[in-house]
Amino acid sequence: MPFTIAIIGRPNVGKSTLFNRLVGQKLALVDDMPGVTRDRREGEAKLHDLHFTIIDTAGLDEGPKGSLTARMQEQTETAIALADALFFVIDARIGLTPADRAFADFARRADKPVLLLANKSEGKHGELGAMESYALGLGDPIQISAEHGEGMGELYDAVSKLVAPTDDEDDEREETDEERAARPIRVAIVGRPNAGKSTLINHLLGEERLLTSPEAGTTRDSIAVEIEWKGRGFRIYDTAGLRRRSRIEEKLEKLSVADALRAVRFAEVVVLMMDAQNRFEEQDLRIADLIEREGRALVIAVNKWDLMEAKPGQISMLRRDADHWLPQVAGAPIVAVSGLMGEGIDRLMQAIVEAYAVWNRRVPTAALNRWFEGAIADNPPPAVSGRRLKLNYITQTKARPPSFVLFCSRADAIPQSYLRYLTNSMRETFELPGTPVRITLREKANPFAHKRKRPN
């Protein structure tokens, strides 16, 4: 188990900025508005030759029992319990506040090593605030600027007393095939706001790891959690709800949506979650189209199925609706679930595993050639401007998703309708339901093009 450090402090002192600095990526949303971070987020931090797990937390704040604020603090308390040490962050430009003093007592009661970080220490104002922090009784403050990277050397010196250095040669070692196979499947859960994404993941985990609320927009960051199902590892990303662009007005929501889209691009399988009572709305179709364009395997989860009146043939109707509205990913697995009641969870996880396998599928060359000859014989390409189109051969260039190159004459003249025919035929023949299939056209070089015409 790697050494774990939790970043704690009151809202808007720069905890997420420090988190991003240490993991080397902009994983956590950062904004001037307090309270942007709600769920706890984990990442792999690196300070020169020090490697450790870092946890970003919601700002320590008080609220009525059962409120969103109170549950945010519960997430922070859980992070503190999991951590081996704490970064207690204050805003040096503002100086100490009553909240800082109260939460310093909270940090002391955790009975774990605490490093006091005076963030935003650049300039004269930061110096004064850092001096004030001695009054907290948490030792010498480490003056840093998470935004500008100042004070990282001093932070390294303090952390090195807690974490043993590691050999960087291990990081440069190439991954073996066995290690790749053992890696968890990266799954992003996306959908419109309040579709039940966080509730579903909490049920998978068996705990309230992610904050949920009837109010749309509770999730802001794309939070990654690790789970295991039937011996297989999964890294599941909960994302902010995706609304139509015209309805997104606040800067923070724009950042949340951008974070969700980034999660889709880094995922291998994307679960599009819909509300059973309002399924296949325009925004659902737009999200599915985005997933297809990004080349990710798609699984459709129709949530809140427990609220639907039981009628015969409803699942078959879902299948027909999916193929009607999403012909570009025909055959994509569709599963009726209830994240709240835990219904259909095993079927959903099995669908994710199967979609991942299809996404990685390679078609044997001999079988591909036999199919290609048969497909052309059954439905030859049309003549364009009185000239016949010649399709020479096809080959698979890669998987993830299955991608093919079709060598032909006059690539720009082949109609899209004929490419759709080939794609659908390939899906049916080689059992590639739901996954994007890429066919790239390439003109075969004319071996006689370099020869000049003979004079008459």
Side-chain angles (χ1 to χ4, degrees):
M1 186 74 181
F3 194 88
T4 301
I5 300 177
I7 307 174
I8 64 171
R10 61 181 178 80
N12 214 30
V13 293
K15 298 185 297 298
S16 294
T17 304
L18 176 61
F19 175 87
N20 288 341
R21 169 73 59 181
L22 292 173
V23 299
Q25 301 179 62
K26 291 185 178 180
L27 295 181
L29 296 186
V30 176
D31 193 73
D32 292 335
M33 186 181 76
V36 171
T37 302
R38 289 178 170 175
D39 294 288
R40 68 180 191 267
R41 174 193 279 274
E42 296 183 10
E44 297 306 313
K46 181 179 179 183
L47 263 176
H48 187 44
D49 57 353
L50 303 179
H51 295 74
F52 52 95
T53 297
I54 193 78
I55 306 178
D56 186 23
T57 66
L60 291 166
D61 210 345
E62 296 179 344
K65 187 175 181 181
S67 67
L68 182 60
T69 302
R71 288 187 289 134
M72 288 163 60
Q73 180 154 341
E74 288 172 7
Q75 290 286 327
T76 299
E77 291 171 357
T78 301
I80 292 172
L82 293 172
D84 299 300
L86 307 176
F87 284 165
F88 186 82
V89 184
I90 66 165
D91 186 334
R93 289 185 305 192
I94 294 177
L96 288 189
T97 68
D100 287 323
R101 298 177 189 276
F103 295 129
D105 293 335
F106 181 84
R108 273 192 290 270
R109 288 198 300 273
D111 195 25
K112 295 184 177 182
V114 180
L115 297 182
L116 175 60
L117 308 186
N119 192 28
K120 308 180 187 180
S121 286
E122 63 275 19
K124 297 178 182 178
H125 299 296
E127 184 75 24
L128 293 173
M131 294 304 103
E132 280 186 32
S133 64
Y134 277 100
L136 294 176
L138 293 174
D140 296 341
I142 303 169
Q143 298 183 50
I144 66 169
S145 171
E147 184 175 1
H148 299 105
E150 297 178 10
M152 292 298 113
E154 289 76 8
L155 182 60
Y156 170 85
D157 292 338
V159 175
S160 62
K161 297 174 182 176
L162 305 174
V163 182
T166 56
D167 190 351
D168 280 340
E169 289 182 5
D170 289 341
D171 296 337
E172 297 172 4
R173 184 176 57 82
E174 198 166 318
E175 205 175 33
T176 65
D177 291 338
E178 291 76 12
E179 286 171 333
R180 289 193 193 96
R183 279 188 313 184
I185 300 174
R186 298 192 301 274
V187 182
I189 312 287
V190 302
R192 288 182 285 121
N194 220 23
K197 301 180 289 294
S198 300
T199 302
L200 174 72
I201 297 175
N202 282 340
H203 193 92
L204 285 169
L205 291 168
E207 61 173 308
E208 192 175 350
R209 168 65 177 82
L210 302 171
L211 295 178
T212 60
S213 170
E215 175 191 352
T218 301
T219 300
R220 288 173 173 170
D221 282 295
S222 295
I223 303 298
V225 296
E226 304 273 355
I227 70 166
E228 188 173 298
W229 179 80
K230 293 189 175 180
R232 187 69 184 264
F234 297 82
R235 187 170 180 81
I236 298 185
Y237 295 82
D238 185 26
T239 64
L242 298 173
R243 296 197 296 167
R244 287 207 309 266
R245 186 178 298 177
S246 61
R247 293 188 177 182
I248 299 174
E249 297 176 356
E250 295 182 2
K251 174 189 173 186
L252 181 56
E253 185 175 359
K254 291 179 182 178
L255 291 172
S256 297
V257 168
D259 203 31
L261 297 179
R262 189 161 50 246
V264 170
R265 294 185 183 105
F266 280 97
E268 295 165 320
V269 181
V270 180
V271 176
L272 171 56
M273 184 164 284
M274 303 180 188
D275 189 318
Q277 296 173 307
N278 300 285
R279 56 187 185 266
F280 294 108
E281 293 196 350
E282 181 183 1
Q283 184 64 359
D284 295 324
L285 306 184
R286 289 176 182 271
I287 297 170
D289 193 52
L290 166 72
I291 296 166
E292 193 277 335
R293 291 200 311 271
E294 292 293 337
R296 303 297 169 238
L298 171 66
V299 175
I300 301 170
V302 181
N303 194 28
K304 307 180 184 179
W305 196 250
D306 54 307
L307 302 179
M308 299 294 291
E309 183 182 351
K311 294 180 181 177
Q314 281 187 310
I315 300 299
S316 299
M317 186 181 298
L318 281 180
R319 176 77 273 158
R320 289 194 298 272
D321 287 346
D323 290 342
H324 170 74
W325 291 109
L326 301 171
Q328 72 272 38
V329 284
I334 184 164
V335 184
V337 301
S338 169
L340 184 63
M341 307 302 293
E343 298 172 2
I345 301 297
D346 280 345
R347 291 194 300 273
L348 176 62
M349 298 305 294
Q350 184 61 39
I352 290 172
V353 172
E354 292 172 359
Y356 179 74
V358 172
W359 190 63
N360 282 276
R361 184 164 296 163
R362 280 194 169 274
V363 179
T365 302
L368 188 62
N369 289 332
R370 287 195 298 270
W371 161 80
F372 186 57
E373 292 172 2
I376 294 175
D378 293 341
N379 184 11
V384 177
S385 301
R387 295 173 59 191
R388 186 170 65 91
L389 298 175
K390 186 176 182 181
L391 307 185
N392 300 102
Y393 62 94
I394 190 169
T395 183
Q396 183 171 3
T397 54
K398 70 180 191 72
R400 304 165 67 92
S403 301
F404 305 84
V405 172
L406 172 57
F407 291 86
C408 59
S409 65
R410 302 171 61 207
D412 58 338
I414 295 180
Q416 287 298 313
S417 58
Y418 194 75
L419 287 180
R420 282 196 296 272
Y421 156 71
L422 292 176
T423 300
N424 292 334
S425 175
M426 189 183 297
R427 284 187 193 281
E428 186 176 346
T429 303
F430 299 115
E431 297 182 347
L432 299 171
T435 195
V437 173
R438 303 284 190 251
I439 298 180
T440 303
L441 300 176
R442 188 175 299 170
E443 293 188 12
K444 191 175 180 181
N446 184 350
F448 304 104
H450 66 285
K451 294 186 177 181
R452 295 180 179 176
K453 291 185 178 180
R454 292 180 180 179
N456 292 331

